[in-house]
Amino acid sequence: IDWGLEGAGSSAITVLPFIAHDQEERWGIYAGRRMQEYLLADQAFERVLYAEKEPATTPYVLKGEIEALYFGGTFTQTRVQVTLRIINRRDGQTRYLSTFSAAAENRGLDLELLTRKYVSAPYPEQVLNGILKDLAREIALRTHAEPSGAQGPE
């Protein structure tokens, strides 16, 4: 869902801890704090606040869910899936909704024996941070876009 965040860059948003399905609550807090950091770095909104719980007083609220978080170890991939939604508090409508999944593994090669070297998959927080950074960049592109009704130079 992308109902438009044009012009929201001059506004404020509150980031809530992510809901961490089947995971420890600390993962949700970690994801919320990192998302706040990445939105600030990309200047997606003028103000980016973090709150432990609702109610939020900003025009927009970001709610996220960690739907999968799996550390692959040595023989399988690390997998992470995140759903993120931005809600306009004025009308209660979801303005932006995205689900992002990623899987990663590390591979190694022993050049002396020309065999595969078994190495551990990336840690879940590395994959989660990559997803959150990509989502923050995507949100920043949308908040800095001109409103669809605006006319550019002719």
Side-chain angles (χ1 to χ4, degrees), residues 17-116:
F18 285 36
I19 297 168
H21 297 289
D22 303 325
Q23 302 295 326
E24 295 177 29
E25 184 180 332
R26 69 183 176 95
W27 283 108
I29 295 168
Y30 176 83
R33 293 270 185 199
R34 292 294 72 79
M35 194 67 202
Q36 176 197 23
E37 179 184 316
Y38 299 138
L39 288 172
L40 282 169
D42 287 332
Q43 299 175 345
F45 292 87
E46 192 171 290
R47 288 183 42 225
V48 181
L49 306 174
Y50 177 82
E52 292 290 329
K53 58 184 176 179
E54 291 192 80
T57 58
T58 56
Y60 295 95
V61 177
L62 185 146
K63 295 182 178 183
E65 298 179 45
I66 301 173
E67 296 179 13
L69 186 74
Y70 175 74
F71 175 53
T74 305
F75 299 106
T76 58
Q77 296 178 332
T78 294
R79 293 186 305 275
V80 178
Q81 181 173 346
V82 172
T83 297
L84 182 137
R85 117 183 22 242
I86 297 177
I87 300 166
N88 184 335
R89 275 193 48 249
R90 289 183 197 114
D91 59 11
Q93 295 294 316
T94 297
R95 305 303 298 170
Y96 177 80
L97 172 71
S98 181
T99 299
F100 202 104
S101 299
E105 67 180 332
N106 290 326
R107 294 179 184 217
L109 177 67
D110 186 332
L111 294 176
E112 194 172 300
L113 300 173
L114 294 176
T115 59
R116 180 173 179 183

Side-chain angles (χ1 to χ4, degrees), residues 6-7 145-152:
E6 298 91 359
E146 289 188 28
S148 55
Q151 294 191 9

Side-chain angles (χ1 to χ4, degrees), residues 133-147:
K133 281 181 186 178
D134 288 345
L135 286 167
R137 266 187 237 112
E138 190 174 309
I139 291 167
L141 288 173
R142 284 165 170 70
T143 60
H144 293 299
E146 289 188 28

